[in-house]
Every structure is written in C-alpha cells, then in structure tokens.
Amino acid sequence: MAGAGDTRRVTRVEPHGLWSNMGRVVDLSSRGAQVVSQTRPRPVGDWKQILIEIPEGRILVFARTVWIRHDPSGFRFGLEFAASDETARLQLTDLCAGVRAARSETEDHDDQAVALELIDAELRIDRILAESESRHEP
C-alpha cells in the first residue's frame, strides 16, 4: 500500500466490498481514495461529486482525479477529497476507523486460531511420541 518514501499524513485502509459511483474503492483515507473501474475516469485535475456506498447509507464528497493508470483490471486512479467538506471527512474518518477495528479483530481471531492449532498439534505429537515409547519399552 504505502511505499518506503511515502509522505502521506493519514493512514490508509484497504476496505473490502466498498463501492462508489466511480468504481470499486481499494484504498481509502479521510483525504483520498484509490479506485478501480472498467470506465475511464475524469481527466486529472477534474472535480466530481463522489458517492460512496456504506452499510449505514452514503457518503457524498467532492474529489479530484490526481493520477490515472491503466492495468489489467481496467483503470486504477487516485482521488483527492475536497478539504472543505468537513462532514464527509468525519464520515470517512469513522469509516476508516471501523475498517481498521474490524481488521484488527479478525487478525486477533486468526492469531488465536493459529495458536490453538499449534497447541493441538503439539498435543498430538506428544501423544504419538508417548505411544511410540510405550511400544518400545522392554
């Protein structure tokens, strides 16, 4: 997501299943987004009202296209949100915090599941070794 020389001022998240009227949102922060679409976006520098669909409703924000790349998935482009849209910025901040919290909860659950699997595997190995030793005792 962010490179070693990245100077972004805010943390970005990778939301899953988030869509806007411009395409699928693959990278999001309170200040901008990266979108993938089959349709060519507006030219770099153009402003457009963006509608982001969330479970609680919609977030409307003005954004300008800052870069465009063509790749196998269609067009990939960066949007910068208007700084003056404080309501949308607060909604986006809350959305990003929710994505981070959900991801953290999932990672914690995954870590616990892996730990339990390791304990189970160790117990099985101990049982197999004990059975093997009891068979070879004189």
Side-chain angles (χ1 to χ4, degrees):
M1 215 165 52
D6 198 346
T7 58
R8 291 184 177 133
R9 296 171 289 181
V10 293
T11 303
R12 294 173 109 45
V13 296
E14 294 176 0
H16 297 286
L18 188 64
W19 289 85
S20 75
N21 59 324
M22 299 286 289
R24 184 171 53 92
V25 179
V26 296
D27 184 26
L28 179 71
S29 78
S30 61
R31 299 187 183 273
Q34 182 179 153
V35 178
V36 174
S37 177
Q38 295 297 312
T39 308
R40 178 178 280 285
R42 297 182 68 93
V44 170
D46 275 13
W47 288 88
K48 179 175 175 72
Q49 189 171 34
I50 307 299
L51 174 71
I52 299 174
E53 298 285 341
I54 59 172
E56 298 80 17
R58 298 174 171 165
I59 299 174
L60 284 169
V61 62
F62 280 96
R64 73 180 176 101
T65 307
V66 291
W67 56 267
I68 301 170
R69 292 189 191 113
H70 193 282
D71 68 21
S73 58
F75 293 94
R76 188 174 289 267
F77 52 97
L79 299 172
E80 178 183 30
F81 300 140
S84 61
D85 198 341
E86 193 59 33
T87 301
R89 188 171 308 261
L90 291 173
Q91 290 174 307
L92 290 162
T93 299
D94 288 347
L95 176 60
C96 290
V99 169
R100 277 193 299 276
R103 179 101 5 93
S104 176
E105 187 175 299
T106 300
E107 288 169 357
D108 288 346
H109 177 71
D110 289 347
D111 289 346
Q112 291 171 358
V114 167
L116 290 173
E117 287 175 18
L118 287 173
I119 291 169
D120 186 48
E122 288 174 359
L123 290 173
R124 281 183 282 151
I125 290 169
D126 289 344
R127 188 174 57 242
I128 291 168
L129 289 173
E131 289 172 2
S132 176
E133 287 174 3
S134 68
R135 281 189 219 138
H136 296 327
E137 286 182 359

